[in-house]
Amino acid sequence: MGLKPRVKTPSSSSGTRGWLTKATDSMMSSKQKKKQFTSVALLVGVVGLWWLFGGFLGSRSVKETWLPALHGPYKNEIQAPNPLIFPPTEHAPILRELDVKGLYILRIDVDENRKYVLKSDDEPMTDKERAAMTDQNKLVKKSFLDNGKLVYRKSSPQPEVIIVTMIDFDYYDVNTLTRIVQNRVNYAQRQGYGIYVRWAQEFVPMVEKQTVQESYDFFKPLIMRAAFHAFPHAKYFWYLDQDSLIMRMDLPLQRHLLDPKTLDVAVLRNVPIIKEGNIKTYKHFSTAHAGFILPQMQDGELGMSSFIIAPSLYSKSFLDYLSDPLVRDFYWKDLSSAVAHALQWHPPLLSRTALIVPKTIASIYEPGVSDAEGQNADTISYQEGDLVALFQGCRQRESCVSDIEALFAKVSG
Amino acid sequence: MDSSAPYALNSEDDKRWKLNRRSGKLNKLSETFARQKNIIFVIFCVLFVFFWFGSSKISFSSASPKVVLILAVNEGGGVLKWKGEQEWAIERISIQNKRAYAKKHGYGLTLKDMRTARRYSHEYREGWQKVEILKQTMREFPDAEWFWWLDMETLIMEPEMSLDKHIFSRLDEISYRMLDEFNPLNLPLDIPYVDYSKPVDLLITQDCGGFNLGSFLIKNSEWSKLLLDMWWDPVCYEQKHMVWEHREQDALEALYAFQPWIREKTAFLPLRTINAFPPGACSEFENDPRFFYKETDHDFVVNMAGCSFGRDCWAEIQRYGSLLEASNRRWFRGLF
């Protein structure tokens, strides 16, 4: 055939298409095609199997590393039977006799530094040992050391609010200590809350200045962190100082304060964190984010005798920060100034802090002053009907014991 | 001719017919192509315009990167002393190295100016710069998952290796969270309230002298943002600024030592996985294979840490640069 004009018809055999098919056709018979198909299938199968088993082998070769389980200062823990964790107050006289030096090991290093140390792998006392123990002092000491090992891990009842209190056997007698604890127990039982009470002396070996007088304030972040650990599912932890009583058994904390709408009324917005300070609380604070609820007392100081913390990343970070020896041993006036510093320097913490009016959880009791006469009756002084009476200043007046006795009789009578 | 023509013609027609039948499918395809050519042309044009002129926002390929490399450049910035020719060259090589790596794996790269600035010159504020740059970068790339901080005197020696393959996919295998095996600072091994079941948000390395932040990874998370805020506190720094000569590194060590919320999300990688040293650094440990770059093991990154303190940065970067080039030479490079 001669030259043909290029016509675009499907029947045209000239052009690249025809040439291409011809070429492939001549290269591959149908038999060859089959052969190729099987070889490709085989290859895919082998690769697939390799991948499958490789995955299995790979996962098996991951090395098992040992990591310590989540634990508190003590590695061994005791399951608490109910959400009311408190030490036996009747041990106070013997504990006072034993004193801190009888309760802990004193370690003296080469530089003559004396330090009480905590034995973190201390074994808890079994019931058998308890029954067999005849030496009363030993029993008291052992139960003192076991107090910090108590944790609540039951699924029901699951209290939402935990009241945290730290009691000092050196300052109060048995009767007063019992009143303080009984007051918390009564309230918690009525409202279905939990309580977490520890001896202040239990925290002595965890700090550097090892006396209750010097370090009581800085035991507070420690006991809160311990309470978080003891009640991992609770929503709120209310630290309430030993020099105070809950005066309204019928008033649940959630309805009284924690409900975002109620809290909204109590929150102080756009107020300086310290007196005449430049940094103020946020104007547009959302109460739903409130992780720390601190009363701002009348002198502008942050009240650290009664405050509420909701456990979260931020609250753990805040407590860990306050318990960092580098922070704790700075020459603060008190815990309140350390907290104020943290709030002023760390906006993520401030944005989760609600400063509230003190009347809500920190009314101050003034003995001998009747309700109407009180100078600051509306803003800060305790009046009948307030949830809490703080006996602030009772140590200077030396009236703590009588104050507690008087108001305890009122509330339980 | 005429008498024999029909047969011959027939046979030719037959052949042609056979051929046509074989290429039928292809023909059909080309037929449809021919018929729809206008539409296809329009589609092609649209795609062309998209890929050629389209902004990165429209195109499908450039989703926001999951990993962002932060490269600290211009250290000192010629503020306190002149920036020499070699320093410029080192900077160029280092940037080129990271840029090629980020491009290859689809990571983001951001260069951060580390020039000496007055706002960081007060003794309490030295070293805040790194933390503030990290904070700023987290705001800049809100969708990124991980940030990889790299000092300028680093070179990625295995550009083919992705971070996913090298680190994230085998994190459990290569990282360690307890310091029981390697603890150059003698930090307390076990402190209360550390929950090691939490996923890791900060991946750092330890060299012979403690934590090394020349190359580290930090996740874009709530925890990281809080860490960056808590990292610097004037109370800690006021007490320690004479002792903490490595500034932010020492501050992090102190946080790790006593604050459980920081410890529970921190993990360590062996130095050689992302931060191998040249023989000059940690020179008092020259027989310890844990620290030093080894060519035969194909260590991922080399960090000429501290080369500006009495060592020759230029010589070191040249040495590793030529190693990098030699090991990543392609066969076809010889043709050009």
Side-chain angles (χ1 to χ4, degrees), chain A residues 28-57:
Chain A
M28 215 186 288
S29 71
S30 66
K31 244 186 195 173
Q32 270 172 321
K33 267 184 187 167
K34 251 186 200 165
K35 222 179 187 178
Q36 205 193 30
F37 176 76
T38 39
S39 59
V40 166
L42 257 172
L43 197 77
V44 167
V46 167
V47 168
L49 278 174
W50 180 284
W51 178 73
L52 257 172
F53 283 100
F56 280 127
L57 290 173

Side-chain angles (χ1 to χ4, degrees), chain B residues 60-107:
Chain B
F60 325 96
S61 57
S62 69
S64 54
K66 291 280 161 246
V67 179
V68 172
L69 277 63
I70 306 171
L71 182 62
V73 293
N74 200 22
E75 207 139 335
V79 173
L80 297 177
K81 59 170 195 217
W82 279 16
K83 193 163 160 177
E85 198 180 327
Q86 290 180 347
E87 281 163 81
W88 285 106
I90 290 170
E91 200 169 287
R92 212 178 56 230
I93 293 169
S94 178
I95 293 172
Q96 202 48 51
N97 175 250
K98 273 84 186 183
R99 183 178 288 156
Y101 180 75
K103 197 171 173 193
K104 175 164 267 157
H105 297 283
Y107 301 150

Side-chain angles (χ1 to χ4, degrees), chain B residues 11 14 18 56 63 72 85 125 127 143 155 175 261 272 300 314:
Chain B
S11 79
D14 196 38
K18 268 185 189 166
S56 57
E85 198 180 327
R125 287 186 68 85
D143 298 325
L155 277 182
S175 69
W261 74 280
R272 279 174 53 193
F300 185 42
W314 178 236

Side-chain angles (χ1 to χ4, degrees), chain A residues 47-186:
Chain A
V47 168
L49 278 174
W50 180 284
W51 178 73
L52 257 172
F53 283 100
F56 280 127
L57 290 173
S59 67
R60 219 180 282 160
S61 71
V62 169
K63 68 172 180 197
E64 290 284 320
T65 45
W66 174 84
L67 288 169
L70 175 62
H71 63 81
Y74 291 106
K75 281 179 185 142
N76 302 304
E77 284 165 355
I78 307 169
Q79 305 296 323
N82 57 52
L84 303 172
I85 297 178
F86 57 92
T89 46
E90 66 273 16
H91 288 173
I94 299 176
L95 284 170
R96 201 183 290 184
E97 214 174 284
L98 284 169
D99 201 26
V100 173
K101 59 180 178 290
L103 291 166
Y104 294 108
I105 309 157
L106 181 68
R107 193 174 286 161
I108 304 168
D109 67 7
V110 281
D111 302 323
E112 295 270 308
N113 291 320
R114 307 159 75 82
K115 200 170 189 294
Y116 293 108
V117 289
L118 186 134
K119 204 170 154 229
S120 63
D121 54 353
D122 193 42
E123 292 282 339
M125 176 167 55
T126 57
D127 288 336
K128 228 184 198 174
E129 284 170 334
R130 188 193 298 273
M133 209 169 275
T134 48
D135 184 354
Q136 186 68 15
N137 282 12
K138 224 174 182 179
L139 182 78
V140 167
K141 179 178 170 180
K142 198 70 192 131
S143 92
F144 172 87
L145 293 174
D146 279 356
N147 203 30
K149 301 183 188 107
L150 282 164
V151 289
Y152 184 71
R153 293 284 182 270
K154 283 190 179 163
S155 51
S156 79
Q158 196 54 259
E160 250 187 44
V161 180
I162 309 297
I163 302 159
V164 183
T165 297
M166 194 162 46
I167 50 176
D168 177 1
F169 56 70
D170 268 329
Y171 192 77
Y172 285 123
D173 59 299
V174 183
N175 291 335
T176 315
L177 289 171
T178 312
R179 282 187 193 113
I180 294 167
V181 175
Q182 190 63 51
N183 176 255
R184 275 55 163 179
V185 171
N186 289 347

Side-chain angles (χ1 to χ4, degrees), chain B residues 292-306:
Chain B
F292 302 108
Y293 176 79
K294 208 168 159 195
E295 207 187 323
T296 49
D297 287 353
H298 297 285
D299 286 338
F300 185 42
V301 172
V302 65
N303 179 6
M304 274 72 64

